[in-house]
Amino acid sequence: MLKACIFDLDGVLVDTAKYHFVAWQRLANQLGIAFTETDNEQLKGLSRDASISYILKKGNIVLSEYDKQHYMAMKNEWYLALVNTMDESEALPNAKELLINLKDNNIAIALGSASKNARLILEQTALLPFFDSIVDGTRTTKSKPDPEVFLTAANDLSVHPKEAIVFEDAISGIQAANVGGFLSLGIGEPTVLTEAVWVYPNLTSLNFEQLINLYNSKF
Ligand code: B16
Ligand code: MG
């Protein structure tokens, strides 16, 4: 029986990638490294630490751990200034409606995100009250494709992975869901998210009834 839905944040419920892009590009430029939209795509779903490592590698720059932490903190300050301008209108289409619809039908709801800023973003976009569990970058030690983030969420909700659908926009997130034994629903391009059980371009056509039908079709 479908008991829970676990949502990734960036790329599924909100589009914070555009703010990450501005902040990472500012940092990269300061270090004399070019940073394009294509680079930004590569960072989707990666942790902050893995993201700066990608940029430094691109620029052939080696930094001490101290300097790395300093630059990461600087990037995060710039990013947070943008996040603080977010409001309800930045929840992606049908995100709030779907969460309400799932809640009305007693489906438990969790967040499974790599972001250490997840709670603030949910607050800004007024989505926080819908979540029974929030598993973010402050609660995990292993990055996707490790299933830790989703397994922790399932544990919080006292459900078995088989009883939950994971909504993800990143390849690594889909892999994490699959490895953890969840049913994965990709948000994006079927040609990119080839390992997802189902792929939808966004949340707009999804509702409780349809998710139940999709879920039941697998058992
Ligand atoms: P922060 P998700 C991820 O969010 C983003 O996709 C990724 O680009 C970002 O580097 C990561 O969060 C860490 O974010 O710097 O806020 O801790 O897709 O897992 O919700
Ligand atoms: Mg994402």
Side-chain angles (χ1 to χ4, degrees):
M1 201 172 113
L2 178 64
K3 290 188 180 169
C5 287
I6 305 174
F7 293 88
D8 172 54
L9 181 61
D10 179 26
V12 174
L13 298 173
V14 295
D15 174 21
T16 40
K18 60 185 181 206
Y19 300 134
H20 281 297
F21 177 62
V22 171
W24 281 130
Q25 192 180 50
R26 186 169 166 187
L27 181 73
N29 290 350
Q30 217 171 80
L31 293 167
I33 304 166
F35 187 79
T36 64
E37 291 275 7
T38 315
D39 291 316
N40 202 48
E41 276 302 308
Q42 304 297 314
L43 304 189
K44 283 190 179 171
L46 291 191
S47 68
R48 204 178 302 169
D49 196 67
S51 302
I52 196 166
S53 296
Y54 170 96
I55 292 169
L56 294 174
K57 193 171 170 210
K58 190 180 178 215
N60 256 321
I61 292 179
V62 180
L63 289 181
S64 66
E65 189 51 37
Y66 181 85
D67 284 345
K68 207 168 121 177
Q69 292 298 333
H70 165 74
Y71 284 119
M72 267 161 58
M74 216 157 83
K75 180 267 171 180
N76 197 49
E77 245 175 64
W78 297 330
Y79 174 66
L80 283 182
L82 296 167
V83 166
N84 276 308
T85 67
M86 291 176 86
D87 61 22
E88 284 186 52
S89 69
E90 294 212 41
L92 286 173
N94 204 39
K96 186 175 176 186
E97 292 77 3
L98 178 59
L99 295 175
I100 292 173
N101 182 226
L102 293 172
K103 268 246 116 74
D104 286 349
N105 287 284
N106 295 317
I107 299 291
I109 298 172
L111 189 83
S113 165
S115 175
K116 291 184 172 159
N117 301 304
R119 194 173 278 270
L120 172 67
I121 295 164
L122 289 178
E123 252 166 32
Q124 293 285 119
T125 52
L127 298 178
L128 187 62
F130 301 106
F131 287 84
D132 302 299
S133 152
I134 293 178
V135 185
D136 59 16
T138 66
R139 290 186 65 195
T140 49
T141 52
K142 297 175 202 140
S143 297
K144 301 165 187 176
D146 189 284
E148 182 190 19
V149 60
F150 299 132
L151 290 174
T152 307
N155 190 51
D156 277 3
L157 301 176
S158 305
V159 300
H160 191 273
K162 276 205 160 46
E163 298 169 324
I165 295 177
V166 167
F167 297 68
E168 250 295 346
D169 71 312
I171 298 170
S172 60
I174 294 292
Q175 290 168 339
N178 293 343
V179 169
F182 299 88
L183 283 165
S184 55
L185 191 151
I187 296 294
E189 292 284 332
T191 49
V192 176
L193 303 175
T194 53
E195 294 170 54
V197 177
W198 310 285
V199 182
Y200 286 80
N202 49 52
L203 299 176
T204 55
S205 65
L206 295 168
N207 59 44
F208 168 73
E209 214 169 291
Q210 195 197 358
L211 289 170
I212 288 288
N213 288 337
L214 287 175
Y215 180 86
N216 289 340
S217 72
K218 291 290 161 194
F219 293 96

